[in-house]
Amino acid sequence: MDDDQGLTAVAAARPAPGPRRRAAAVLHRRPRLRLTLLLSAPLAWLVPGYLGALAAIFLTAFWTTDTFTGEVVHQYTLANFQTLWDEPVYRTIALRSVGVAAAVTLIDMAIGLPMAFAMAKVVRPRRRPYLVVAVLAPLWAPYLVKAYAWRVMLAHGGLADEVLGPFGLSGPGYGLTATVLVLAYLWLPYMILPVYTGLERLPDSLLDASGDLGARPLRTLRAVVLPMVFPSLVAGSVFTFSLSLGDYITVKIVGGRTQLLGNVVYDNVGAANNLPFAAAVATIPVVVMLAYLAAARRTGALREL
Amino acid sequence: MSVSAVRIRDLRKGFGAVEAVAGVDLDIGDGEFFSMLGPSGSGKTTVLRLIAGFERPTAGTVELAGRDVTSLPPFERDVNTVFQDYALFPHLDVLRNVEYGLKVRRVPRAERRARAREALRGVRLEGMEARRPAELSGGQRQRVALARALVNEPRVLLLDEPLGALDLRLREEMQAELKAIQRRAGITFVFVTHDQEEALTLSDRVAVMDRGRIEQVGTPAQLYERPATAFVAGFVGTSNRVGDVRVRPEKLQVDGLDGVGTERGPGQGDRHALGTVADLVYAGALTRVHVDLESGERVVALRQNLAASDDMPHRPGDRVRVRWHSAHEFRVADAGRGDAAEAAPAS
Amino acid sequence: MWSTRVALAATAALAIGLTGACGDGDSAGKATGAGQGGFTVPKIAARQSLGAGEGRVNLVAWAGYAEDGSNDKKVDWVHPFEKQTGCKVNTKIAGTSDEMVTLMRTGEYDAVSASGDASLRLIASGTVAPVNTALVPNYADVFPGLKLKPWNSVNGVAYGIPHGRGANLLMWRSDKVRPAPTSWGAVFDANSPYKGKVTGYDSPIYIADAALYLMSSRPELGIKNPYALDQKQFDAAVALLKTQRGLIGEYWSDYTKEVQAFKSGDSVLGTTWQVIANLAKAEKAPVEVALPKEGSTGWSDTWMVGAKAKNPNCAYKWMDWIVSPKANAQVAEWFGEAPANARACGLTADRKFCDTFHATDETYFSKVRFWTTPIAQCLDGRKDVKCVDYSKWTQAWTTIKG
């Protein structure tokens, strides 16, 4: 009996389009509504969860912390920024951090470009996936494990010393150099991948054409490859630069006594529980990155991201 | 005897297990318009790339004007290439694309500008100097690629299916233009194409390639009228197999048994066979008449549509006599391979 | 009204922030005078009796303080507790003292293993309640040197049960550092031959180590308590650390890092914990440790009960359990510190454990200044000057590291 009734109901409903069909028809006629529906979920996350958090950081920077109980005092003051400005140590640390980020980016460009080139243009297409996996593989290992591995390698009498020993040199030890080195290692895949993608899209015939017109490989690199992967390089550098600017763990492990902006933020969030001051410090990399992105935008590189 | 512009001996190139070029010998004369014709995968483009130096041969030699260039990189060879995808530098404007080769060779700025503009005039692109390749049409890009290669005044110009991406009209226009440019410049052209008509109309000589080997080299007329192999017979035009000989479709005359539709009277040396009309395919200027011979073979005859189409004298099912002159018969060395029915359709 | 004004006046005069007392209007009336540090303590009553267990207890603890066998099968004093009391243990590991303060303030946890740099803050903010030690039978066996100390009591009222203690020691590579150092001067000597191989603890609280050294090396500064530094004393300590920075190879903040650095010889001299020294020796690093003649800083942790604990009976049972001889011996041995319960020493797996960690050596610990949160009003009782508070210590620490 139940079955029969069900069938009758379906049969009766058939002439009029179902609600799903009607909704689809409405959406088809109204592209703007369609777009709104499509974007509502991501925007619901993006606006409060993402931009909101950024705004909260900025807002918090104008508050202070009760030093004893650790509670945030919601009273607007520029005291945190005043401290940042007045204490030369913060300027030193900010400049050092930007310097490290820039050095890491340059090293990754210098290593990543030839590597990506070999992957995209030299190696046979069938072997490329393996190389991509090889480049990505280090990303699967935990960050801490890699950083500690470097710590052991850079230790007194460690691998670095052993390898450089025969040349009368010794490893860099723990410090700024080690920090740059390890960060460059950690973020290298983030440079290689966009450059590789960029090079893969560069037709082989352009390289052939350049050689055909008499250009030697270096000339081809300078006149054809570099201008064409420049946006990809900038895209990769956005990753390496921002990741380096925010790092505080690597420098703690191999940086010796060096401290970067990330450490100041971490120390203030963690040890001192001074979230407002940490937020004020955190605005420095945000401002630096915004300036960097603005510069990158002018090159058209953001389209590669 | 003068040295060949391009001289190739026992050229071989393998990619893994595949031998793309399996022993090629070629002599291309100075100032010749030489085409390499073949289906995709026949190795014609690889031969071109070996001449340009983009690939290293597994064996054999390449000589340009008597000089062995087999181990030289592209930038040390006096050849220039027009690529199938044009390979224009997207980040440079038209003028900078054209003067790229001159700049690399350190030609002074004023001179290279003048020569580049001259080359652009030669391909009727004056006024386009400041455009980016992305802002040009396919035909215009093609001409920029041509100008970019010609401005270097190479001894040999290599063209890799340069018209492949163009639509039919533009293609025919460019064919004429190419031929004119070649005559004017007196440069040796090595032209790769899979389009047999293009090869026949443009070239002084054509090499037909299949499976990494040259099947036959000759003038267009030689290839068409005396194909050496079944493959050539099938790939260059179409041919009918009648017994152990072959005849081109336009050489076949279809007569009604009652004499209806006879275009040409019987003559000395005529051969004929009886059959039934299987099908009529109207193709504008021509009609293809498919006839099943009593021997079991099917042949195709071409009939010019001199009158209106409804005046066609034969109908499917009609008994007819197929006639041809013995002088138009030819034989191929490797009978059994290739046939009209399986090769590219006749135009 | 009157009491509110008093509270506000006290706040202004003492210049410290008070949350529980005057931040919330409703608790202001409950404020009852100053603790020995001078800050106001919210009046919260200790429990007078215990009821039946609630079936569960939520803890905030340092790593290694509430082991349930998941790190090492043999290291488990949580399951026996659960079996005996029926209180299921739910542990939240905290990484820093500040995290502990923040977690406890949520009111969702019943007990916390607070260090001296967190305990006072928890007391002052009314986050934890006084502890009726009579309800913790095993408290009787706790070393007297740990009872009713400034970091676990206010005005003679106990706020927790001592868990254990340890000293920040001087460690050196016996093959590289000769003669064996006996003074903290070794890590502060500007002309040290071990330049670039000296290590220090990476925390603002390390400023107290410098202050401790200044107590004997520059008595004219008048430092009485390394956690109560007026501006002048503080500046002197910071200056000393800035000089020391030139000698430092790296600062350390975790076990593995320091063990590895001493093993490889990247560090040859610096501050350490007994447990790190033991680990380094176990890895065959030729190191020695000593409590220098100036004494040292150190830590003493305290189990405290949340003022709003939902499972107070189980929390009391846990406090009693963790200082019971067997469990206290286990946790002290696992973490590497001196146990709080005197009877624990008879139950350690390593018979010499209590000797190694000087558990019964009150003279040894009399030289140890346990970590305490520096606050604006001086902990040493001075009323005529303001002391430098912990947030300034943090910012100074950044400046010291440069």
Side-chain angles (χ1 to χ4, degrees):
Chain A
M1 279 302 276
D2 277 0
D3 285 355
D4 284 352
Q5 279 169 352
L7 282 171
T8 321
V10 168
R14 198 167 286 153
R20 276 172 64 179
R21 263 174 171 275
R22 276 203 305 273
V26 169
L27 283 180
H28 182 75
R29 285 194 300 274
R30 300 198 172 167
R32 205 168 272 250
L33 180 66
R34 213 161 61 207
L35 193 69
T36 311
L37 281 177
L38 188 70
L39 287 182
S40 57
L43 281 181
W45 153 249
L46 193 73
V47 173
Y50 203 83
L51 299 177
L54 211 63
I57 288 178
F58 195 64
L59 214 62
T60 312
F62 292 96
W63 294 335
T64 50
T65 300
D66 184 307
T67 52
F68 189 58
T69 58
E71 275 189 6
V72 172
V73 179
H74 298 242
Q75 208 170 52
Y76 287 93
T77 163
L78 285 171
N80 290 324
F81 292 101
Q82 190 70 41
T83 313
L84 274 183
W85 185 255
D86 287 347
E87 281 284 345
V89 69
Y90 295 113
R91 230 169 303 156
T92 314
I93 295 172
L95 285 177
R96 183 188 297 140
S97 304
V98 171
V100 165
V104 168
T105 301
L106 287 177
I107 292 175
D108 278 346
M109 279 185 184
I111 302 174
L113 182 63
M115 202 132 153
F117 188 83
M119 281 164 64
K121 296 292 169 207
V122 181
V123 174
R124 284 200 209 134
R126 255 189 314 148
R127 297 200 182 147
R128 276 179 207 163
Y130 300 106
L131 274 174
V132 173
V133 167
V135 165
L136 286 177
L139 290 180
W140 302 338
Y143 175 107
L144 274 177
V145 172
K146 289 182 283 184
Y148 266 103
W150 272 94
R151 183 177 165 80
V152 174
M153 281 197 283
L154 293 169
H156 190 74
L159 191 67
D161 280 353
E162 255 175 56
V163 170
L164 293 169
F167 307 100
L169 300 167
S170 62
Y174 303 138
L176 209 54
T177 317
T179 308
V180 170
L181 212 65
V182 176
L183 287 177
Y185 159 78
L186 286 172
W187 310 143
L188 185 60
Y190 296 96
M191 176 65 79
I192 292 182
L193 285 181
V195 176
Y196 168 70
T197 321
L199 281 170
E200 238 197 353
R201 265 183 292 168
L202 174 79
D204 290 351
S205 64
L206 289 189
L207 305 183
D208 285 346
S210 180
D212 185 71
L213 292 165
R216 283 158 195 282
L218 270 181
R219 176 82 182 219
T220 302
L221 182 74
R222 188 158 51 82
V224 179
V225 178
L226 273 183
M228 294 210 55
V229 296
F230 182 71
S232 306
L233 276 172
V234 175
S237 78
V238 169
F239 291 123
T240 56
F241 196 84
S242 59
L243 287 170
S244 303
L245 209 54
D247 184 81
Y248 64 94
I249 299 174
T250 296
V251 63
K252 249 194 141 102
I253 295 173
V254 300
R257 60 193 182 190
T258 312
Q259 58 180 347
L260 300 177
L261 279 175
N263 301 95
V264 179
V265 173
Y266 179 80
D267 286 350
N268 276 287
V269 172
N273 198 28
N274 191 344
L275 197 60
F277 188 71
V281 177
T283 54
I284 299 177
V286 171
V287 168
V288 171
M289 271 324 290
L290 284 178
Y292 193 88
L293 285 174
R297 206 177 79 96
R298 301 190 58 166
T299 68
L302 296 190
R303 274 172 284 164
E304 294 289 309
L305 282 174
Chain B
M1 191 182 161
S2 66
V3 281
S4 308
V6 181
R7 183 183 151 95
I8 290 171
R9 284 296 172 269
D10 192 32
L11 198 61
R12 287 170 193 276
K13 175 68 183 176
F15 295 105
V18 185
E19 195 160 41
V21 177
V24 163
D25 296 88
L26 262 185
D27 288 276
I28 302 173
D30 218 10
E32 196 173 12
F33 197 125
F34 189 89
S35 289
M36 285 193 283
L37 174 68
S40 59
S42 59
K44 58 191 189 302
T45 294
T46 308
V47 171
L48 195 82
R49 293 176 60 80
L50 287 164
I51 299 173
F54 304 141
E55 311 278 357
R56 285 288 174 85
T58 336
T61 55
V62 177
E63 283 175 27
L64 294 175
R67 177 174 170 234
D68 186 347
V69 298
T70 314
S71 55
L72 292 185
F75 52 85
E76 286 177 12
R77 300 189 184 197
D78 189 12
V79 297
N80 283 112
T81 309
V82 176
F83 293 83
Q84 187 170 9
D85 63 354
Y86 315 140
L88 298 180
F89 303 122
H91 61 293
L92 301 179
D93 62 23
V94 165
L95 187 70
R96 287 194 169 76
N97 261 287
V98 174
E99 67 176 11
Y100 186 90
L102 299 176
K103 199 173 169 186
V104 166
R105 293 206 171 83
R106 305 213 176 131
V107 174
R109 188 188 157 90
E111 187 193 335
R112 69 170 192 255
R113 281 279 142 97
R115 279 173 65 181
R117 282 176 200 284
E118 173 69 33
L120 282 170
R121 224 184 345 266
V123 295
R124 300 185 290 117
L125 277 180
E126 51 270 82
M128 299 282 193
E129 288 86 351
R131 300 253 187 116
R132 291 285 174 106
E135 300 165 332
L136 301 178
S137 71
Q140 288 169 329
R141 283 182 217 179
Q142 162 71 81
R143 290 206 288 265
V144 175
L146 203 57
R148 185 179 67 174
L150 287 171
V151 75
N152 303 295
E153 294 168 3
R155 191 179 287 266
V156 176
L157 186 70
L158 308 173
L159 302 103
D160 185 9
E161 306 242 12
L163 310 179
L166 304 182
D167 61 45
L168 188 64
R169 263 185 93 117
L170 208 52
R171 222 178 143 102
E172 282 171 356
E173 230 177 273
M174 282 305 298
Q175 284 176 2
E177 212 164 307
L178 269 182
K179 186 80 188 165
I181 287 169
Q182 194 259 342
R183 284 214 187 99
R184 202 162 5 130
I187 296 176
T188 308
F189 272 33
V190 181
F191 188 94
V192 162
T193 181
H194 65 270
D195 182 330
Q196 46 116 352
E197 192 193 340
E198 196 167 272
L200 295 185
T201 41
L202 288 175
S203 319
D204 297 323
R205 281 195 307 150
V206 180
V208 181
M209 289 194 68
D210 183 41
R211 299 179 208 187
R213 285 193 176 76
I214 290 180
E215 293 274 320
Q216 187 176 5
V217 184
T219 62
Q222 284 169 345
L223 288 180
Y224 190 76
E225 285 157 19
R226 291 283 172 265
T229 67
F231 178 81
V232 176
F235 197 75
V236 181
T238 56
S239 67
N240 293 304
R241 191 150 47 159
V242 190
D244 56 352
V245 299
R246 285 155 195 262
V247 188
R248 295 287 185 190
E250 74 279 5
K251 305 288 187 338
L252 292 182
Q253 164 75 36
V254 182
D255 301 331
L257 293 184
D258 49 3
V260 170
T262 301
E263 288 171 338
R264 169 172 66 80
Q268 218 180 6
D270 268 2
R271 310 272 172 97
H272 51 79
L274 291 175
T276 314
V277 175
D279 199 5
L280 296 168
V281 181
Y282 180 72
L286 303 161
T287 295
R288 286 192 203 103
V289 185
H290 295 251
V291 179
D292 287 329
L293 298 182
E294 287 177 339
S295 59
E297 292 156 324
R298 169 171 285 196
V299 295
V300 179
L302 288 184
R303 188 185 168 85
Q304 267 191 297
N305 292 335
L306 297 173
S309 57
D310 34 348
D311 280 358
M312 176 57 64
H314 312 298
R315 292 277 173 274
D318 288 0
R319 292 278 296 164
V320 290
R321 175 181 289 115
V322 177
R323 190 155 56 89
W324 67 93
H325 196 272
S326 63
H328 295 146
E329 287 176 353
F330 60 90
R331 289 163 196 271
V332 294
D334 53 348
R337 269 180 71 204
D339 217 325
E342 27 179 292
S347 53
Chain C
M1 273 313 279
W2 184 85
S3 60
T4 310
R5 268 212 307 280
V6 167
L8 285 173
T11 314
L14 302 169
I16 56 161
L18 302 167
T19 44
C22 90
D24 307 332
D26 65 333
S27 61
K30 290 185 271 174
T32 60
Q36 88 268 46
F39 57 85
T40 314
V41 183
K43 186 180 174 120
I44 299 169
R47 293 185 69 85
Q48 293 309 309
S49 60
L50 287 186
E54 295 85 353
R56 67 172 58 80
V57 62
N58 298 319
L59 307 176
V60 174
W62 291 109
Y65 272 24
E67 290 295 314
D68 59 2
S70 52
N71 286 317
D72 183 334
K73 269 193 184 154
K74 285 172 289 188
V75 180
D76 181 2
W77 51 89
V78 165
H79 285 119
F81 168 75
E82 291 177 338
K83 214 168 181 182
Q84 187 182 316
T85 64
C87 299
K88 188 159 172 28
V89 177
N90 172 26
T91 308
K92 171 77 187 168
I93 303 289
T96 65
S97 288
D98 296 286
E99 201 181 336
M100 288 190 166
V101 172
T102 312
L103 286 170
M104 281 310 285
R105 215 187 277 121
T106 63
E108 291 182 12
Y109 297 91
D110 303 309
V112 58
S113 63
S115 292
D117 51 343
S119 52
L120 282 193
R121 292 192 264 159
L122 291 168
I123 295 170
S125 60
T127 310
V128 293
V131 170
N132 184 350
T133 53
L135 301 176
V136 182
N138 283 311
Y139 186 72
D141 297 320
V142 168
F143 290 108
L146 284 168
K147 286 180 176 172
L148 295 179
K149 290 294 166 186
W151 58 88
N152 61 25
S153 69
V154 175
N155 293 339
V157 178
Y159 269 82
I161 302 298
H163 169 102
R165 53 185 167 174
N168 297 317
L169 301 166
L170 179 61
M171 177 159 76
W172 67 93
R173 280 277 293 250
S174 50
D175 59 335
K176 301 251 169 77
V177 179
R178 290 206 183 94
T182 57
S183 159
W184 287 115
V187 298
F188 292 116
D189 176 9
N191 301 312
S192 169
Y194 312 113
K195 195 168 188 283
K197 310 233 163 188
V198 176
T199 187
Y201 186 52
D202 190 1
S203 164
I205 207 73
Y206 186 59
I207 294 172
D209 285 49
L212 181 92
Y213 174 65
L214 290 175
M215 283 169 72
S216 53
S217 70
R218 287 181 61 194
E220 74 277 11
L221 286 168
I223 300 174
K224 297 275 175 288
N225 177 336
Y227 306 99
L229 306 174
D230 62 34
Q231 194 63 49
K232 196 172 145 239
Q233 298 164 336
F234 183 74
D235 290 346
V238 168
L240 179 62
L241 288 167
K242 280 185 173 166
T243 315
Q244 188 206 27
R245 183 184 178 275
L247 311 173
I248 294 283
E250 68 177 1
Y251 295 95
W252 67 272
S253 53
D254 66 90
Y255 272 40
T256 37
K257 193 171 146 179
E258 204 192 15
V259 169
Q260 184 265 328
F262 268 88
K263 203 181 153 198
S264 66
D266 284 288
S267 296
V268 299
L269 181 65
T271 178
T272 196
W273 298 335
Q274 183 71 50
V275 61
I276 298 179
N278 295 353
L279 286 172
K281 281 179 179 164
E283 296 206 16
K284 309 257 185 297
V287 295
E288 290 299 334
V289 278
L291 183 69
K293 63 182 183 200
E294 297 90 354
S296 78
T297 58
W299 77 90
S300 170
D301 296 340
T302 306
W303 280 100
M304 304 178 118
V305 175
K308 295 175 192 156
K310 294 190 185 71
N311 310 301
N313 293 319
C314 275
Y316 266 80
K317 285 177 197 296
W318 170 260
M319 288 198 295
D320 190 44
W321 174 261
I322 198 68
V323 289
S324 64
K326 180 69 189 158
N328 202 230
Q330 281 177 298
V331 69
E333 236 178 337
W334 172 250
F335 187 81
E337 63 186 336
N341 190 315
R343 294 202 293 137
C345 287
L347 298 169
T348 50
D350 172 7
R351 287 290 144 204
K352 291 191 291 181
F353 181 81
C354 275
D355 294 340
T356 314
F357 284 83
H358 307 272
T360 57
D361 190 350
E362 291 300 332
T363 2
Y364 176 90
F365 279 111
S366 69
K367 292 192 200 168
V368 176
R369 303 284 188 150
F370 293 109
W371 283 345
T372 316
T373 313
I375 50 177
Q377 71 278 25
C378 302
L379 295 164
D380 57 4
R382 285 184 291 168
K383 305 282 188 201
D384 53 338
V385 286
K386 275 205 309 187
C387 281
V388 179
D389 68 36
Y390 191 62
S391 76
K392 299 265 172 47
W393 283 46
T394 310
Q395 292 188 0
W397 185 241
T398 304
T399 322
I400 290 164
K401 290 200 287 178

